[in-house]
Amino acid sequence: MEQFLFFFIALVAVASAVYFVFAKNPLYAILSLIVTFFSIAALYVLLNAQFLGIVQIIVYAGAIMVLFLYVLMMLNLNAKDESKKHNLLKFTGIISAGIIFVGMIGAYKGVAMTNATTDVDSQIGLTKNLGKLLFNEYVLPFELASILILAGIVGSVLIGKKDL
């Protein structure tokens, strides 16, 4: 039953992500992205990573999507204002997606199908273990990511300044 639920939620996530890419109305695209974020959070919970599931809902489905909706409402997009999209960009996207798909099929072909073991550690997704791993083994990438985020914030403030 749990495996069926996992595949169903994964199908919902993939379907809503594909709808996001091909949606004509930007509001419907953002709503489908919210469904995608909630589906990914449900997948995290099913994989015993409750902390990541809650952070996914709070940060992405909450804050980021409110920001997207705010920007969409402020832009007031109309169909007459939107210029025609070039077919070259669509063709490039389809070709790159096809290359990624072929690479994923090739990687999947090399993976042997194994049965899942029943010995599952119930402590694997807890916040205590995640914090130990993050601040012991992955402290350098964590700090580099924070410096990168700080550089992005400073860059956006400089770009947004009216007079330099």
Side-chain angles (χ1 to χ4, degrees), residues 100-153:
I100 290 173
F101 181 69
V102 168
M104 288 175 62
I105 294 295
Y108 182 71
K109 187 177 180 184
V111 174
M113 297 299 287
T114 59
N115 292 334
T117 60
T118 57
D119 299 334
V120 177
D121 186 14
S122 64
Q123 303 293 321
I124 197 167
L126 297 180
T127 311
K128 177 181 171 184
N129 296 335
L130 181 66
K132 280 183 183 178
L133 189 66
L134 185 64
F135 291 116
N136 287 336
E137 290 186 35
Y138 297 106
V139 69
L140 183 64
F142 182 71
E143 292 299 325
L144 289 175
S146 65
I147 290 171
L148 183 65
I149 290 171
L150 179 65
I153 291 171

Side-chain angles (χ1 to χ4, degrees), residues 56-93:
Q56 175 80 18
I57 290 174
I58 292 172
V59 173
Y60 288 107
I64 300 297
M65 294 317 304
V66 167
L67 179 67
F68 280 0
L69 285 171
Y70 178 75
V71 168
L72 180 69
M73 298 304 166
M74 291 299 291
L75 287 178
N76 195 13
L77 295 176
N78 294 326
K80 63 179 181 174
D81 296 337
E82 197 171 315
S83 63
K84 299 291 183 191
K85 294 182 174 51
H86 299 289
N87 287 334
L88 178 66
L89 292 176
K90 292 179 184 178
F91 182 71
T92 306

